[in-house]
Amino acid sequence: MSSIPGAVAVLPERTSVLEDAHAQLAVAVADLGYDSGTHAMLKQSRRELTVSIPLRRDDGSTEVLTGYRVQHNISRGPAKGGLRYSPHVTLDEVRALAMWMTWKCALLDVPYGGAKGGVTVDPRTYSTLELERITRRYTSEILPIIGPHQDIPAPDVGTDEQTMAWMMDTYSVSQGHTVPGVVTGKPLSLGGSLGRASATSRGVVHIARAALLSVGIDMPGSTAAVQGFGKVGRDAAHFLADDGSQVIAVSDQFGAIHNPSGIDIRALGHHVDRTGSVVGFDGADEFDSDGLLELEVDVLVPAAIEGVIHSGNAERLRARVVVEGANGPTSRDADTILRSNGVLVAPDILANAGGVIVSYFEWAQANQSYRWEARDVEARLEERMLAAWRSVSDHAHTHDITLRAAATRLAVARVTEAHRLRGLYP
Ligand code: GLU
């Protein structure tokens, strides 16, 4: 993972995602009429582990990184959630992301609780060998709390299937036998699932199609802008274009490009494979990264990191529908502004759930020692995404609330029901 010489990373404003996550929960708890004890149980992480990761660098020097694994809730099954490598990782961020995983798994009815991991590191400034050492040491440090029936990591921002292969190997060596079910998002040759790599993007586009239809717009002939051209944004742009949407703007951490008559996404993919960035693609003009969010499009897909739509720019958004490919891209204040401006927001815990759904399929395949066909994976993914869309949008209409409030309420009710049935021990 190397950086592009001379390129300047465009970093958005950071907001307190944990405060936003807590506020969303508080609304759901109040609407559901739960008591303060139940609220505290839902708010507090079950387990939080902070670890030091001493690293021998390639030049022989030593440094110490910090990593986290937070298991927010395990009432409905093993903890589940990605591992993030980013210089912005903090314990509070990991707490928020773990809480959102709990709601996401409950909403999509996959039998997991929620977790998240993170290491405060910029992976672009480390060699592959250094990243392997970081990953193996981090895995060793969190070993006591992970396992195929305890907590199952997966890729997230800054990590990929190679990271999962190293984690799987490190865990397996500690057990003395191969344990494919300890992580998901593995390479295919190590028991990864067909369709996992593109699952989040496929799910985003299923929700985009449904959300557009709900406001009377067909996907073919619509216009789209996609922020982020990584694990989620790149395939989302492809699938949108395949479905007949005109993707008129795309960005990555180095800049944005714009072509009002539509970008050739396949040609852009080749350019990115060659150069490492969307910048410099000759089928579009260079554009202002912040301006991408403010384009007049039918669907805007923020697919990078959290907090990019905030009180400072929400008023200027002109998209008809926002489909959250990233986790937490819209701040709480921005949510209120978008609602009053009539922008429909399909929330992260619904829109980007395709990844964890196919993670569940991968885990089920590991447990069965059996590989499913790609078409089965894709059909079951679509079925679950659309079922969740219907229940969230019906609930939102019935109660005249946002899709986010409806999704959170439905998820929180499911987690609370599991907790109530299991009871308190002792
Ligand atoms: N990191 C992804 C997410 O935020 C996938 C998590 C998983 O598959 O466990 O949903």
Side-chain angles (χ1 to χ4, degrees):
M1 291 177 214
S2 60
S3 58
I4 297 177
V8 180
V10 181
L11 296 175
E13 174 189 293
R14 310 293 297 171
T15 57
S16 171
V17 286
L18 186 59
E19 277 173 30
D20 286 0
H22 283 170
Q24 291 157 8
L25 172 64
V27 170
V29 163
D31 291 346
L32 291 161
Y34 293 159
D35 59 32
S36 59
T38 304
H39 188 178
M41 188 275 299
L42 292 163
K43 187 172 170 186
Q44 189 86 11
S45 311
R46 294 276 76 76
R47 274 190 204 110
E48 299 182 344
L49 186 56
T50 300
V51 298
S52 293
I53 307 166
L55 167 71
R56 190 174 7 88
R57 296 216 59 173
D58 292 341
D59 65 5
S61 64
T62 303
E63 66 183 53
V64 183
L65 304 172
T66 304
Y68 309 97
R69 186 74 189 171
V70 171
Q71 297 172 350
H72 170 256
N73 193 284
I74 50 173
S75 293
R76 302 182 72 255
K80 184 85 188 82
L83 167 64
R84 172 173 292 207
Y85 287 175
S86 151
H88 305 295
V89 163
T90 61
L91 180 55
D92 273 357
E93 182 196 50
V94 177
R95 284 175 172 142
L97 292 163
M99 179 181 276
W100 284 328
M101 282 308 301
T102 301
W103 311 147
K104 196 185 296 187
C105 293
L107 181 67
L108 275 295
D109 203 16
V110 291
Y112 295 133
K116 203 80 175 193
V119 177
T120 314
V121 63
D122 184 349
R124 293 168 307 160
T125 58
Y126 290 81
S127 71
T128 304
L129 280 173
E130 289 171 331
L131 290 172
E132 177 171 358
R133 289 199 285 277
I134 293 168
T135 302
R136 289 189 183 276
R137 183 61 186 252
Y138 169 75
T139 308
S140 310
E141 296 292 342
I142 65 163
L143 213 69
I145 64 164
I146 60 168
H149 303 293
Q150 276 175 278
D151 181 355
I152 306 134
D156 196 79
V157 173
T159 60
D160 56 19
E161 55 178 38
Q162 178 60 74
T163 322
M164 295 304 112
W166 292 326
M167 291 191 87
M168 189 271 246
D169 183 68
T170 307
Y171 183 85
S172 297
V173 168
S174 82
Q175 302 298 302
H177 59 99
T178 298
V179 188
V182 66
V183 290
T184 59
K186 297 179 292 294
L188 272 183
S189 52
L190 286 180
S193 176
L194 292 166
R196 172 63 183 86
S198 58
T200 309
S201 318
R202 258 187 215 289
V204 162
V205 175
H206 291 316
I207 296 301
R209 201 182 302 112
L212 282 172
L213 265 184
S214 77
V215 296
I217 302 173
D218 278 330
M219 180 78 97
S222 65
T223 53
V226 180
Q227 183 197 44
F229 206 68
K231 278 195 289 287
V232 179
R234 182 175 174 154
D235 281 340
H238 272 288
F239 297 142
L240 284 166
D242 285 350
D243 268 16
S245 182
Q246 243 186 10
V247 182
I248 64 163
V250 170
S251 68
D252 63 15
Q253 60 193 314
F254 304 108
I257 56 170
H258 178 232
N259 180 344
S261 6
I263 296 170
D264 179 343
I265 299 297
R266 229 156 277 279
L268 176 62
H270 296 315
H271 171 83
V272 170
D273 289 341
R274 270 198 325 276
T275 66
S277 172
V278 301
V279 175
F281 177 57
D282 58 13
D285 297 324
E286 278 193 30
F287 196 63
D288 167 34
S289 292
D290 295 336
L292 176 139
L293 297 170
E294 298 165 18
L295 283 169
E296 189 168 348
V297 282
D298 294 315
V299 58
L300 170 67
V301 180
I305 56 170
E306 56 259 23
V308 295
I309 303 174
H310 45 76
S311 53
N313 62 7
E315 204 62 75
R316 295 194 298 276
L317 244 76
R318 285 177 298 154
R320 183 68 192 83
V321 169
V322 174
V323 181
E324 296 185 332
N327 290 309
T330 311
S331 76
R332 188 165 28 126
D333 294 344
D335 238 357
T336 313
I337 296 169
L338 295 181
R339 176 158 165 87
S340 58
N341 287 353
V343 179
L344 184 69
V345 180
D348 44 10
I349 60 170
L350 169 65
N352 71 31
V356 77
I357 292 175
V358 179
S359 274
Y360 165 51
F361 296 163
E362 178 176 329
W363 181 76
Q365 290 171 79
N367 294 342
Q368 295 173 323
S369 303
Y370 186 78
R371 170 160 291 167
W372 302 0
E373 300 292 334
R375 62 172 179 274
D376 293 334
V377 171
E378 277 161 29
R380 290 178 200 205
L381 166 65
E382 181 171 7
E383 204 178 291
R384 276 180 186 258
M385 293 298 300
L386 294 184
W389 163 264
R390 280 190 295 272
S391 56
V392 170
S393 78
D394 288 353
H395 196 81
H397 277 118
T398 311
H399 298 276
D400 193 24
I401 56 176
T402 62
L403 294 174
R404 190 185 316 281
T408 309
R409 198 192 280 184
L410 290 169
V412 167
R414 272 194 192 149
V415 174
T416 309
E417 172 70 354
H419 185 71
R420 191 189 62 74
L421 288 167
R422 288 177 64 159
L424 259 189
Y425 173 84

